[in-house]
Amino acid sequence: MTRITWQGQRYELQEGETVLEALLRIGASVPYSCRSGVCQTCMMRAVAGDPGEASRHRLSEEQRARGAFLPCICHPQTDLELAPMQDELPIMATTVVSKTPLGDVLRLRLAPRKPISFRAGQFINVHAEDGVVRSYSIASVPTLDDGVLELHVRRLPDGRVSTWLHEVLREGDELCVQGPLGECCYVLGETQRPLLLIGTGSGLAPLWGILRDALHNGHTGPIYLYHGSRDAEGLYLHDELCALEAMRPEQFHYIPCVSGPNVSPDCRSGRASDAALADHSKLTGWRVYVCGHPQMVEETRRSVFLAGARIADIHTDAFTLSR
Amino acid sequence: MADSLYNRLGGEAAVNAAVDIFYRKVLADKRISHFFDNVDMSRQAAKQKAFLTVAFGGPNNYSGQDMRKGHAHLVSRGLNDGHFDAVMENLAATLQELSVPPEMIAECAAIAESTRSDVLCR
Ligand SMILES: Cc1cc2nc3c(=O)[nH]c(=O)nc-3n(C[C@H](O)[C@H](O)[C@H](O)COP(=O)(O)OP(=O)(O)OC[C@H]3O[C@@H](n4cnc5c(N)ncnc54)[C@H](O)[C@@H]3O)c2cc1C
Ligand code: HEM
């Protein structure tokens, strides 16, 4: 039996249990959110023992050198002694500057009290009431938006934090965030490269940021953005994206896709990823961004790879729900 | 170590160059792609790198026992000589695509071949 040591006490791991599951079972008060190795909220250090490569491979060299690992995806083969790692991601206060409902999606703008260094397409962890944490992707570009963090939050039925952000949070309120994290960003220094952006639902948030970041940095290569939704109301930046396309008709192509039954004439019928791959079956040399529904992201990642994009040139942001 | 196969191939840079090509071939190969389904792609890419490092004679800590353990769940799903041959083919085709000289391809193939009984848990 593998054992973990937490705050001087030893506990046995049960069959198939992750370290985080064991900690929650014994009533340890530890922060967590995605439970899938993405958001880093539960990150800890292994003071003794080997947490295994799978629980570390997405962390930076620096974090790994300090013994960091992610308990939510850790099935250790050896006994482990754990230590918290709270200083890793400081919690920062922001002020809610504006809340703009766009159908089911809330466009939320937050002004950090102290400047935060971030890039469009990264994500931050939002601390809602009762210490509940959820990740949201950054749709703004710091230099274009005065350092304001813009988030696009989709309302989910009975979703704890999304509903709270939509209904309870007020303009002028304080909201605490942690981060930024993630590397789903525009890559500088290759302005001629063709870019393919594919997103479903509020998966448009990072893509909107990456798109504006690319144009702001003088990107000259073609950019194709496929945004998918079940119905036309879900294409929540339709007018802004059409306007941008009208300004740069040679370079930027916006392809709205509706997968449900009522497809208006200016939209494609079917899934965004299918439309993108039908139009671009050879992706050798392309840089690709895929964001939104986790299953769509994983399937599309594989398809664009098979279509010729290199693994290192495929950036993804899967909006994994917390269980 | 200067003239080890791994170094002659180009070390880690060679592994990185080969991994995309090799993995794409494996996923596109209907004979074996089902073994690589339902696994997170970035993790898989890391495993493909581990595989190529072994085949290139590079530094690794895998014992024969580890290779057995690592593939036992695949053997119970039917992994057999035919699948092993398919991986060998994809490895050779990848190296050809990278213009690796035939003698070095043969060396890699011999290393990979030497793991057959462990991989197939015999
Ligand atoms: C890296 C990352 C980036 C993200 N970026 C964004 C973003 O930019 N925009 C965005 O909108 N979201 C984003 N997400 C998702 C976001 O973090 C939240 O998961 C999402 O907002 C839902 O949180 P919630 O608290 O509202 O819902 P939760 O309370 O967590 O519930 C989620 C859904 O599951 C259902 N549910 C809950 N419990 C159960 C149960 N026991 N059985 C069955 N169903 C249940 C709920 O009804 C709800 O529909 C991102 C996620 C990650 C990991
Ligand atoms: C040719 C000799 C082979 C060698 C040297 C080899 C080597 C390896 C190595 C080093 C790993 C990584 C183990 C780890 O770090 O967890 C691995 C994993 C894997 N191998 Fe092989 N392998 C070989 C043949 C095969 C074959 C024939 C198949 C199937 C067709 C296969 C399928 C896999 C899969 C699916 C994994 C991932 C296992 C998992 O995580 O579930 N391998 N292999």
Side-chain angles (χ1 to χ4, degrees), chain A residues 33-34 36 38-39 104-106 122-125 128 132-139 150-166 181-182 201-206 236 292 316-323:
Chain A
S33 180
C34 75
S36 56
V38 179
C39 73
D104 268 352
V105 174
L106 170 70
Q122 288 190 290
F123 65 90
I124 51 165
N125 292 331
V132 183
V133 179
R134 296 283 183 270
S135 306
Y136 294 96
S137 305
I138 303 175
E150 174 175 317
L151 312 178
H152 299 169
V153 180
R154 196 153 80 97
R155 184 203 296 266
L156 288 181
D158 302 322
R160 198 162 160 191
V161 173
S162 58
T163 307
W164 181 81
L165 292 169
H166 274 255
L181 289 164
S202 49
L204 181 57
Y236 63 90
T316 60
D317 197 1
F319 288 6
T320 319
L321 297 180
S322 315
R323 277 167 294 138

Side-chain angles (χ1 to χ4, degrees), chain A residues 3 37-38 76 97 100 130 176 197 208 210 214 237 247 265 269 294 298:
Chain A
R3 280 177 296 197
V38 179
V97 222
T100 315
D130 304 330
C176 286
L197 317 181
W208 172 244
I210 290 163
L237 290 183
M247 275 164 60
S269 168
E298 207 46 53

Side-chain angles (χ1 to χ4, degrees), chain A residues 93-308:
Chain A
T94 72
T95 307
V96 178
V97 222
S98 67
K99 286 182 69 178
T100 315
L102 304 164
D104 268 352
V105 174
L106 170 70
R107 187 179 219 167
L108 181 62
R109 290 200 173 95
L110 309 171
R113 301 264 164 96
K114 290 195 190 118
I116 299 179
S117 136
F118 65 88
R119 292 203 60 201
Q122 288 190 290
F123 65 90
I124 51 165
N125 292 331
V126 165
H127 287 239
E129 56 173 2
D130 304 330
V132 183
V133 179
R134 296 283 183 270
S135 306
Y136 294 96
S137 305
I138 303 175
S140 47
V141 179
T143 43
L144 295 177
D145 302 299
D146 289 330
V148 165
L149 293 161
E150 174 175 317
L151 312 178
H152 299 169
V153 180
R154 196 153 80 97
R155 184 203 296 266
L156 288 181
D158 302 322
R160 198 162 160 191
V161 173
S162 58
T163 307
W164 181 81
L165 292 169
H166 274 255
E167 285 173 10
V168 180
L169 188 75
R170 297 267 164 267
E171 290 178 3
D173 281 358
E174 177 181 285
L175 187 66
C176 286
V177 303
Q178 259 179 317
L181 289 164
E183 286 155 9
C184 187
C185 302
Y186 176 65
V187 177
L188 298 166
E190 40 173 52
T191 50
Q192 288 165 22
R193 201 120 187 237
L195 303 181
L196 177 59
L197 317 181
I198 304 171
T200 50
S202 49
L204 181 57
L207 300 180
W208 172 244
I210 290 163
L211 168 66
R212 290 175 67 233
D213 202 13
L215 297 175
H216 175 61
N217 281 291
H219 197 85
T220 54
I223 307 177
Y224 290 82
L225 168 62
Y226 291 80
H227 184 215
S229 171
R230 195 154 307 149
D231 48 40
E233 290 76 65
L235 301 168
Y236 63 90
L237 290 183
H238 190 77
D239 294 346
E240 274 165 270
L241 287 163
C242 287
L244 196 60
E245 188 180 32
M247 275 164 60
R248 300 176 175 252
E250 302 293 322
Q251 182 188 13
F252 174 57
H253 309 276
Y254 164 55
I255 303 94
C257 305
V258 171
S259 60
N262 301 313
V263 185
S264 55
D266 57 344
C267 295
R268 287 274 280 277
S269 168
R271 293 177 6 137
S273 50
D274 292 341
L277 279 145
D279 295 352
H280 309 282
S281 53
K282 270 246 157 294
L283 292 171
T284 312
W286 286 62
R287 195 172 279 287
V288 184
Y289 296 85
V290 192
C291 306
H293 194 280
Q295 195 187 333
M296 181 285 291
V297 168
E298 207 46 53
E299 286 171 13
T300 306
R301 168 140 82 155
R302 177 185 278 230
S303 314
V304 297
F305 173 62
L306 288 175

